[in-house]
Coordinates of all heavy atoms in Angstrom, one line a residue:
M1 N -18.3 -8.5 -1.6 CA -18.0 -8.4 -0.1 C -18.5 -7.1 0.4 O -18.3 -6.0 -0.2 CB -16.5 -8.6 0.1 CG -16.1 -8.7 1.6 SD -14.3 -8.8 1.8 CE -13.9 -7.2 2.3
K2 N -19.1 -7.1 1.6 CA -19.6 -5.9 2.3 C -18.4 -5.2 3.0 O -17.5 -5.9 3.5 CB -20.7 -6.3 3.3 CG -21.5 -5.2 3.8 CD -22.7 -5.7 4.5 CE -22.5 -5.7 6.0 NZ -23.8 -6.0 6.8
C3 N -18.4 -3.9 3.1 CA -17.4 -3.2 3.8 C -17.6 -3.4 5.3 O -18.7 -3.1 5.9 CB -17.4 -1.7 3.5 SG -16.2 -0.8 4.4
G4 N -16.6 -3.8 6.0 CA -16.7 -4.1 7.5 C -16.6 -2.8 8.3 O -17.0 -2.7 9.4
A5 N -16.1 -1.7 7.6 CA -16.0 -0.4 8.3 C -17.3 0.4 8.3 O -17.7 1.0 9.3 CB -14.8 0.4 7.8
C6 N -17.9 0.5 7.1 CA -19.1 1.4 7.0 C -20.3 0.6 6.5 O -21.4 1.3 6.3 CB -18.8 2.5 6.0 SG -18.7 2.1 4.3
N7 N -20.2 -0.7 6.3 CA -21.4 -1.5 5.8 C -21.8 -1.2 4.4 O -22.9 -1.7 4.0 CB -22.6 -1.4 6.8 CG -22.3 -2.1 8.1 OD1 -21.7 -3.2 8.1 ND2 -22.9 -1.6 9.2
Y8 N -21.0 -0.5 3.6 CA -21.3 -0.3 2.2 C -21.5 -1.7 1.6 O -20.6 -2.6 1.8 CB -20.3 0.5 1.5 CG -20.6 0.9 0.1 CD1 -21.5 2.0 -0.1 CD2 -20.1 0.2 -1.0 CE1 -21.8 2.4 -1.4 CE2 -20.5 0.6 -2.3 CZ -21.3 1.7 -2.5 OH -21.7 2.1 -3.7
P9 N -22.5 -1.9 0.7 CA -22.8 -3.3 0.3 C -21.7 -4.0 -0.6 O -21.6 -5.2 -0.6 CB -24.1 -3.2 -0.4 CG -24.3 -1.8 -0.7 CD -23.5 -1.0 0.3
K10 N -20.9 -3.2 -1.3 CA -20.0 -3.9 -2.3 C -18.7 -3.2 -2.4 O -18.6 -2.1 -2.9 CB -20.7 -4.1 -3.6 CG -19.8 -4.9 -4.6 CD -20.7 -5.6 -5.6 CE -19.9 -6.4 -6.6 NZ -18.8 -7.2 -6.1
V11 N -17.6 -3.8 -1.9 CA -16.3 -3.2 -2.2 C -15.8 -3.6 -3.6 O -16.3 -4.5 -4.2 CB -15.2 -3.8 -1.2 CG1 -15.6 -3.4 0.3 CG2 -15.1 -5.3 -1.3
E12 N -14.9 -2.8 -4.1 CA -14.4 -2.9 -5.5 C -13.1 -3.5 -5.6 O -12.2 -3.3 -4.7 CB -14.4 -1.5 -6.2 CG -15.7 -0.8 -6.3 CD -15.6 0.6 -6.8 OE1 -14.5 1.2 -6.7 OE2 -16.6 1.1 -7.4
Q13 N -12.8 -4.4 -6.6 CA -11.5 -5.0 -6.8 C -10.7 -4.0 -7.6 O -11.1 -3.6 -8.8 CB -11.7 -6.3 -7.6 CG -10.4 -7.0 -7.8 CD -9.9 -7.7 -6.5 OE1 -10.6 -8.4 -5.8 NE2 -8.6 -7.4 -6.2
V14 N -9.6 -3.5 -7.0 CA -8.8 -2.5 -7.7 C -7.3 -2.9 -7.5 O -7.0 -3.9 -6.8 CB -9.0 -1.1 -7.2 CG1 -10.4 -0.6 -7.5 CG2 -8.7 -1.0 -5.7
T15 N -6.4 -2.2 -8.0 CA -5.0 -2.4 -7.7 C -4.4 -1.1 -7.1 O -4.9 0.0 -7.3 CB -4.1 -2.8 -8.9 OG1 -4.2 -1.7 -9.9 CG2 -4.6 -4.1 -9.5
T16 N -3.4 -1.2 -6.2 CA -2.9 -0.1 -5.5 C -1.3 -0.2 -5.5 O -0.8 -1.2 -5.9 CB -3.4 0.0 -4.1 OG1 -3.0 1.2 -3.5 CG2 -2.9 -1.1 -3.2
T17 N -0.7 0.9 -5.2 CA 0.8 0.9 -5.0 C 1.0 1.1 -3.5 O 0.5 2.0 -2.8 CB 1.4 2.0 -5.8 OG1 1.2 1.9 -7.1 CG2 2.9 2.1 -5.5
M18 N 1.9 0.2 -2.9 CA 2.2 0.2 -1.5 C 3.6 0.7 -1.4 O 4.5 0.5 -2.2 CB 2.1 -1.2 -0.9 CG 0.7 -1.8 -1.2 SD 0.4 -3.2 -0.1 CE 0.6 -2.5 1.5
D19 N 3.9 1.4 -0.3 CA 5.2 1.8 0.0 C 5.6 1.3 1.4 O 4.8 1.2 2.3 CB 5.4 3.3 -0.1 CG 4.4 4.1 0.7 OD1 4.5 4.1 1.9 OD2 3.4 4.6 0.0
K20 N 6.9 1.1 1.6 CA 7.3 0.5 2.9 C 8.8 0.9 3.1 O 9.6 0.8 2.2 CB 7.2 -1.0 2.9 CG 7.6 -1.6 4.2 CD 7.2 -3.1 4.3 CE 7.7 -3.8 5.5 NZ 7.4 -3.1 6.7
W21 N 9.1 1.4 4.3 CA 10.5 1.6 4.7 C 11.1 0.3 5.1 O 10.6 -0.4 5.9 CB 10.6 2.6 5.8 CG 10.4 4.0 5.4 CD1 9.2 4.8 5.4 CD2 11.4 4.9 4.8 NE1 9.4 6.0 4.9 CE2 10.7 6.1 4.5 CE3 12.7 4.8 4.5 CZ2 11.4 7.2 3.9 CZ3 13.4 5.8 3.9 CH2 12.7 7.0 3.6
Q22 N 12.3 0.1 4.5 CA 13.1 -1.1 4.9 C 14.4 -0.5 5.5 O 15.3 -0.2 4.7 CB 13.5 -1.9 3.7 CG 12.3 -2.6 3.1 CD 12.1 -4.0 3.7 OE1 11.4 -4.0 4.7 NE2 12.7 -5.0 3.2
G23 N 14.5 -0.3 6.8 CA 15.6 0.4 7.4 C 15.6 1.9 6.8 O 14.6 2.6 7.0
N24 N 16.6 2.3 6.1 CA 16.6 3.6 5.6 C 16.3 3.6 4.1 O 16.6 4.6 3.4 CB 17.9 4.4 5.9 CG 19.1 3.7 5.4 OD1 19.0 2.7 4.7 ND2 20.3 4.2 5.7
Q25 N 15.8 2.5 3.6 CA 15.5 2.4 2.1 C 14.0 2.4 2.0 O 13.3 1.6 2.7 CB 16.1 1.2 1.5 CG 15.9 1.1 0.0 CD 16.4 -0.2 -0.6 OE1 16.3 -1.2 0.0 NE2 16.8 -0.1 -1.9
L26 N 13.4 3.2 1.1 CA 12.0 3.2 0.8 C 11.7 2.4 -0.4 O 12.4 2.6 -1.5 CB 11.5 4.6 0.6 CG 10.0 4.8 0.3 CD1 9.1 4.3 1.4 CD2 9.8 6.3 -0.1
I27 N 10.9 1.4 -0.3 CA 10.5 0.6 -1.5 C 9.0 0.8 -1.8 O 8.2 1.1 -0.9 CB 10.9 -0.9 -1.3 CG1 10.0 -1.5 -0.2 CG2 12.3 -1.1 -1.1 CD1 10.1 -3.1 -0.2
A28 N 8.7 0.6 -3.0 CA 7.3 0.6 -3.5 C 6.9 -0.6 -4.2 O 7.8 -1.2 -5.0 CB 7.0 1.9 -4.3
I29 N 5.7 -1.1 -4.1 CA 5.3 -2.3 -4.8 C 4.0 -1.9 -5.5 O 3.0 -1.5 -4.8 CB 5.0 -3.5 -3.8 CG1 6.2 -3.8 -3.0 CG2 4.5 -4.7 -4.6 CD1 6.0 -4.7 -1.8
K30 N 4.0 -1.9 -6.8 CA 2.8 -1.5 -7.6 C 2.0 -2.7 -8.1 O 2.5 -3.8 -8.0 CB 3.2 -0.6 -8.8 CG 4.0 -1.3 -9.8 CD 4.3 -0.2 -10.9 CE 5.0 -0.9 -12.1 NZ 5.2 0.1 -13.2
C31 N 0.8 -2.4 -8.5 CA -0.1 -3.4 -9.1 C -0.5 -4.4 -8.0 O -0.8 -5.6 -8.3 CB 0.5 -4.2 -10.3 SG 1.0 -3.1 -11.6
V32 N -0.7 -4.0 -6.7 CA -1.1 -4.9 -5.7 C -2.6 -5.0 -5.7 O -3.3 -4.0 -5.5 CB -0.6 -4.4 -4.3 CG1 -1.1 -5.3 -3.2 CG2 0.9 -4.2 -4.3
P33 N -3.2 -6.2 -5.9 CA -4.6 -6.3 -5.9 C -5.2 -6.1 -4.5 O -4.7 -6.6 -3.5 CB -4.9 -7.8 -6.3 CG -3.6 -8.5 -6.3 CD -2.5 -7.5 -6.1
V34 N -6.3 -5.3 -4.4 CA -6.9 -5.0 -3.1 C -8.4 -4.8 -3.3 O -8.8 -4.4 -4.4 CB -6.2 -3.8 -2.5 CG1 -6.4 -2.5 -3.3 CG2 -6.7 -3.5 -1.0
E35 N -9.2 -5.1 -2.3 CA -10.6 -4.7 -2.4 C -10.8 -3.4 -1.6 O -10.3 -3.3 -0.5 CB -11.5 -5.8 -1.8 CG -11.5 -7.0 -2.7 CD -12.4 -8.1 -2.2 OE1 -12.3 -8.5 -1.0 OE2 -13.3 -8.5 -2.9
R36 N -11.4 -2.4 -2.3 CA -11.5 -1.0 -1.6 C -12.9 -0.6 -1.6 O -13.6 -0.7 -2.6 CB -10.6 0.0 -2.4 CG -10.7 1.4 -1.8 CD -10.0 2.4 -2.6 NE -8.6 2.1 -2.7 CZ -7.8 2.3 -3.8 NH1 -8.3 2.8 -4.9 NH2 -6.5 2.0 -3.8
C37 N -13.3 -0.1 -0.5 CA -14.7 0.4 -0.3 C -14.8 1.8 -1.0 O -14.0 2.7 -0.8 CB -15.0 0.6 1.2 SG -16.6 1.4 1.4
P38 N -15.7 1.9 -2.0 CA -15.9 3.2 -2.7 C -16.4 4.3 -1.8 O -16.3 5.5 -2.2 CB -16.8 2.9 -3.9 CG -17.6 1.7 -3.4 CD -16.7 0.9 -2.5
Q39 N -17.0 4.0 -0.7 CA -17.6 5.0 0.2 C -16.6 5.5 1.2 O -16.4 6.7 1.4 CB -18.8 4.4 0.9 CG -19.5 5.4 1.8 CD -20.9 4.9 2.1 OE1 -21.9 5.3 1.5 NE2 -21.0 4.2 3.2
C40 N -15.9 4.6 1.9 CA -15.0 5.1 3.0 C -13.5 4.8 2.7 O -12.7 5.1 3.6 CB -15.4 4.4 4.3 SG -14.9 2.7 4.6
V41 N -13.2 4.2 1.6 CA -11.9 3.9 1.1 C -11.1 2.9 2.0 O -9.9 2.8 1.9 CB -11.0 5.1 0.7 CG1 -11.7 6.0 -0.3 CG2 -10.6 6.0 1.9
E42 N -11.8 2.2 2.9 CA -11.1 1.2 3.6 C -10.6 0.1 2.6 O -11.3 -0.2 1.6 CB -12.1 0.5 4.6 CG -11.6 -0.6 5.5 CD -10.7 0.0 6.6 OE1 -10.7 1.2 6.8 OE2 -10.1 -0.9 7.3
E43 N -9.4 -0.5 2.9 CA -8.9 -1.5 1.9 C -8.7 -2.8 2.6 O -8.4 -2.9 3.8 CB -7.5 -1.0 1.4 CG -7.6 0.2 0.5 CD -6.3 0.6 0.0 OE1 -5.2 0.4 0.6 OE2 -6.3 1.2 -1.2
Y44 N -9.0 -3.9 1.8 CA -9.0 -5.2 2.4 C -8.1 -6.1 1.5 O -8.3 -6.2 0.3 CB -10.4 -5.9 2.4 CG -11.4 -5.1 3.2 CD1 -12.1 -4.1 2.7 CD2 -11.5 -5.3 4.6 CE1 -13.0 -3.3 3.4 CE2 -12.4 -4.6 5.4 CZ -13.1 -3.6 4.8 OH -14.0 -2.9 5.6
F45 N -7.0 -6.6 2.1 CA -6.1 -7.5 1.4 C -6.4 -8.9 1.7 O -6.6 -9.3 2.9 CB -4.6 -7.1 1.8 CG -4.2 -5.7 1.4 CD1 -4.4 -4.7 2.3 CD2 -3.6 -5.5 0.2 CE1 -4.0 -3.4 2.0 CE2 -3.3 -4.2 -0.1 CZ -3.5 -3.1 0.7
S46 N -6.3 -9.8 0.7 CA -6.6 -11.2 0.9 C -5.3 -11.8 1.6 O -4.2 -11.3 1.4 CB -6.9 -11.9 -0.4 OG -5.7 -12.0 -1.2
P47 N -5.5 -12.9 2.3 CA -4.4 -13.6 2.9 C -3.3 -14.0 1.8 O -2.1 -13.9 2.1 CB -5.0 -14.9 3.5 CG -6.4 -14.5 3.7 CD -6.8 -13.6 2.6
E48 N -3.7 -14.3 0.6 CA -2.7 -14.7 -0.4 C -1.9 -13.5 -0.8 O -0.7 -13.6 -1.0 CB -3.5 -15.2 -1.7 CG -4.2 -16.6 -1.5 CD -5.5 -16.4 -0.8 OE1 -6.1 -15.3 -0.8 OE2 -6.0 -17.3 -0.1
V49 N -2.5 -12.3 -0.9 CA -1.8 -11.1 -1.3 C -0.8 -10.7 -0.2 O 0.3 -10.4 -0.4 CB -2.8 -10.0 -1.6 CG1 -2.1 -8.6 -1.8 CG2 -3.6 -10.3 -2.9
L50 N -1.3 -10.8 1.1 CA -0.4 -10.5 2.2 C 0.8 -11.4 2.2 O 1.9 -11.0 2.5 CB -1.2 -10.6 3.5 CG -2.2 -9.5 3.7 CD1 -3.0 -9.7 5.0 CD2 -1.6 -8.1 3.7
R51 N 0.6 -12.7 1.9 CA 1.7 -13.7 1.9 C 2.7 -13.3 0.8 O 3.9 -13.3 0.9 CB 1.2 -15.1 1.7 CG 0.8 -15.7 3.1 CD 0.9 -17.3 3.0 NE 0.0 -17.8 1.9 CZ -1.3 -18.0 2.1 NH1 -1.9 -17.8 3.2 NH2 -2.0 -18.5 1.1
A52 N 2.1 -12.9 -0.4 CA 3.0 -12.6 -1.5 C 3.8 -11.3 -1.2 O 5.0 -11.2 -1.6 CB 2.1 -12.4 -2.8
L53 N 3.2 -10.3 -0.5 CA 3.9 -9.1 -0.2 C 5.0 -9.4 0.8 O 6.1 -8.9 0.7 CB 2.9 -8.1 0.4 CG 1.9 -7.5 -0.5 CD1 0.8 -6.7 0.2 CD2 2.6 -6.6 -1.5
E54 N 4.7 -10.3 1.8 CA 5.7 -10.6 2.8 C 6.9 -11.3 2.1 O 8.1 -10.9 2.4 CB 5.2 -11.7 3.8 CG 4.6 -11.0 5.0 CD 4.0 -12.1 5.9 OE1 4.5 -13.2 6.0 OE2 3.0 -11.8 6.6
R55 N 6.7 -12.2 1.1 CA 7.7 -12.8 0.4 C 8.6 -11.8 -0.4 O 9.8 -11.9 -0.4 CB 7.2 -13.9 -0.5 CG 8.2 -14.6 -1.3 CD 7.7 -15.8 -2.1 NE 7.0 -16.8 -1.2 CZ 6.5 -17.9 -1.6 NH1 6.4 -18.1 -2.9 NH2 5.9 -18.7 -0.8
L56 N 7.9 -10.9 -1.0 CA 8.6 -9.9 -1.9 C 9.4 -9.0 -1.0 O 10.6 -8.6 -1.4 CB 7.5 -9.1 -2.6 CG 8.1 -8.1 -3.6 CD1 8.8 -8.8 -4.8 CD2 6.9 -7.3 -4.2
I57 N 8.9 -8.6 0.2 CA 9.7 -7.7 1.1 C 10.9 -8.5 1.7 O 11.9 -7.9 1.9 CB 8.7 -7.1 2.1 CG1 7.8 -6.1 1.4 CG2 9.5 -6.5 3.3 CD1 6.6 -5.7 2.3
D58 N 10.7 -9.8 2.1 CA 11.7 -10.5 2.7 C 12.9 -10.8 1.7 O 14.0 -10.8 2.0 CB 11.2 -11.9 3.2 CG 10.4 -11.7 4.4 OD1 10.4 -10.6 5.0 OD2 9.7 -12.7 4.8
A59 N 12.5 -11.0 0.4 CA 13.5 -11.4 -0.6 C 13.2 -10.6 -1.8 O 12.6 -11.1 -2.8 CB 13.5 -12.9 -0.9
P60 N 13.6 -9.3 -1.8 CA 13.1 -8.4 -3.0 C 13.7 -8.9 -4.3 O 14.8 -9.5 -4.4 CB 13.8 -7.1 -2.6 CG 14.0 -7.1 -1.2 CD 14.3 -8.6 -0.8
H61 N 12.8 -8.8 -5.3 CA 13.2 -9.1 -6.7 C 13.9 -7.9 -7.3 O 14.0 -6.9 -6.7 CB 12.0 -9.5 -7.5 CG 11.3 -10.7 -7.0 ND1 10.7 -10.8 -5.7 CD2 11.0 -11.9 -7.5 CE1 10.1 -12.0 -5.5 NE2 10.3 -12.7 -6.6
E62 N 14.3 -8.1 -8.5 CA 14.9 -7.0 -9.3 C 13.8 -6.0 -9.5 O 12.7 -6.3 -10.0 CB 15.4 -7.6 -10.7 CG 16.3 -6.6 -11.4 CD 17.6 -6.3 -10.7 OE1 18.0 -7.1 -9.9 OE2 18.1 -5.2 -10.9
P63 N 14.0 -4.7 -9.2 CA 13.0 -3.7 -9.3 C 12.6 -3.5 -10.8 O 13.5 -3.6 -11.7 CB 13.6 -2.4 -8.7 CG 15.0 -2.7 -8.6 CD 15.2 -4.2 -8.5
V64 N 11.4 -3.2 -11.1 CA 10.9 -2.9 -12.4 C 11.1 -1.4 -12.8 O 11.0 -1.1 -14.0 CB 9.4 -3.3 -12.7 CG1 9.3 -4.8 -12.5 CG2 8.5 -2.6 -11.7
D65 N 11.3 -0.6 -11.8 CA 11.5 0.8 -12.0 C 12.2 1.4 -10.8 O 12.2 0.9 -9.8 CB 10.1 1.5 -12.2 CG 10.2 2.8 -13.0 OD1 11.3 3.2 -13.4 OD2 9.1 3.4 -13.1
Q66 N 12.8 2.6 -11.0 CA 13.4 3.4 -9.9 C 13.0 4.8 -10.0 O 12.9 5.4 -11.1 CB 14.9 3.3 -10.0 CG 15.5 1.9 -10.0 CD 16.1 1.6 -8.6 OE1 16.0 2.4 -7.7 NE2 16.7 0.4 -8.5
I67 N 12.7 5.5 -8.9 CA 12.4 6.9 -8.9 C 13.2 7.6 -7.8 O 13.6 6.9 -6.9 CB 10.9 7.2 -8.7 CG1 10.4 6.7 -7.4 CG2 10.1 6.7 -9.9 CD1 9.0 7.2 -7.0
A68 N 13.5 8.9 -8.0 CA 14.1 9.7 -6.9 C 13.0 10.3 -6.1 O 12.0 10.7 -6.6 CB 14.9 10.8 -7.5
V69 N 13.1 10.2 -4.8 CA 12.1 10.7 -3.9 C 12.6 11.9 -3.1 O 13.6 11.9 -2.4 CB 11.7 9.6 -2.9 CG1 10.6 10.1 -1.9 CG2 11.2 8.4 -3.6
P70 N 11.9 13.1 -3.3 CA 12.3 14.3 -2.5 C 12.0 14.0 -1.0 O 11.0 13.5 -0.6 CB 11.5 15.4 -3.1 CG 10.3 14.7 -3.7 CD 10.7 13.4 -4.1
I71 N 13.0 14.4 -0.2 CA 12.8 14.3 1.3 C 12.9 15.6 2.0 O 13.8 16.4 1.7 CB 13.9 13.3 1.9 CG1 13.8 12.0 1.2 CG2 13.8 13.2 3.4 CD1 14.9 11.0 1.6
F72 N 11.9 15.9 2.8 CA 11.8 17.2 3.5 C 11.9 16.9 4.9 O 11.6 15.9 5.4 CB 10.4 17.8 3.2 CG 10.1 18.1 1.7 CD1 9.5 17.1 1.0 CD2 10.6 19.2 1.1 CE1 9.2 17.4 -0.4 CE2 10.4 19.4 -0.2 CZ 9.7 18.5 -1.0
K73 N 12.4 17.9 5.7 CA 12.4 17.9 7.1 C 11.3 18.6 7.7 O 11.0 19.8 7.2 CB 13.7 18.4 7.6 CG 13.9 18.3 9.1 CD 15.2 18.9 9.6 CE 15.4 18.7 11.1 NZ 16.5 19.5 11.6
Y74 N 10.6 18.1 8.6 CA 9.4 18.8 9.2 C 9.9 20.1 9.8 O 10.9 20.2 10.4 CB 8.9 17.9 10.4 CG 7.8 18.6 11.2 CD1 6.5 18.7 10.7 CD2 8.1 19.1 12.4 CE1 5.6 19.4 11.4 CE2 7.2 19.8 13.1 CZ 5.9 19.9 12.6 OH 4.9 20.6 13.4
Q75 N 9.0 21.1 9.6 CA 9.3 22.4 10.2 C 8.0 22.9 10.9 O 6.9 22.9 10.2 CB 9.7 23.4 9.1 CG 11.0 23.1 8.5 CD 11.4 24.2 7.5 OE1 10.6 24.7 6.7 NE2 12.7 24.5 7.4
P76 N 8.1 23.2 12.1 CA 6.8 23.6 12.8 C 6.4 25.0 12.3 O 7.2 25.8 11.8 CB 7.3 23.7 14.3 CG 8.8 23.8 14.3 CD 9.2 23.1 13.0
L77 N 5.1 25.2 12.4 CA 4.5 26.5 12.1 C 5.0 27.6 13.0 O 5.2 27.3 14.2 CB 3.0 26.4 12.1 CG 2.3 25.5 11.2 CD1 0.8 25.4 11.5 CD2 2.5 25.9 9.7
V78 N 5.3 28.7 12.5 CA 5.7 29.8 13.3 C 4.5 30.6 13.7 O 3.7 31.1 12.9 CB 6.7 30.8 12.6 CG1 7.1 31.9 13.4 CG2 7.9 30.0 12.1
A79 N 4.3 30.7 15.0 CA 3.1 31.4 15.5 C 3.1 32.9 15.3 O 4.2 33.5 15.3 CB 2.9 31.1 17.0
Ligands
ZN101 ZN1 -16.7 1.4 3.7

């Protein structure tokens, strides 16, 4: 498949990790298949993958792993 963003002739089939806030909970989904442009890194998800992600987010399964995530508060630069 050609990249729709930069016209690079062939996007690559790779897997990625997605993250999403669910209210005040952050969840991550790993091993998500995606086509990625090696030139401009635009990503293309198939309709099947999007449906599977929606289902997983609507009715989460037992997580395969848990990590602690450090949270920082934004601080403006001091001029
Ligand atoms: Zn591209």
Side-chain angles (χ1 to χ4, degrees):
M1 185 181 105
K2 192 167 101 170
C3 177
C6 75
N7 286 327
Y8 190 79
K10 186 153 177 42
V11 295
E12 296 174 336
Q13 184 72 52
V14 296
T15 59
T16 190
T17 299
M18 306 195 58
D19 51 74
K20 180 168 175 55
W21 282 97
Q22 292 273 87
N24 59 4
Q25 186 185 32
L26 177 64
I27 65 167
I29 305 169
K30 65 179 188 178
C31 305
V32 179
V34 63
E35 292 186 303
R36 181 186 296 144
C37 175
Q39 181 163 270
C40 76
V41 303
E42 182 77 9
E43 292 184 329
Y44 301 92
F45 295 90
S46 73
E48 295 77 27
V49 169
L50 291 175
R51 277 203 302 276
L53 288 171
E54 268 176 33
R55 179 174 301 178
L56 187 63
I57 288 166
D58 287 348
H61 297 63
E62 194 63 28
V64 294
D65 200 2
Q66 300 260 2
I67 59 168
V69 178
I71 298 176
F72 301 93
K73 185 179 179 192
Y74 172 77
Q75 292 183 324
L77 297 173
V78 179

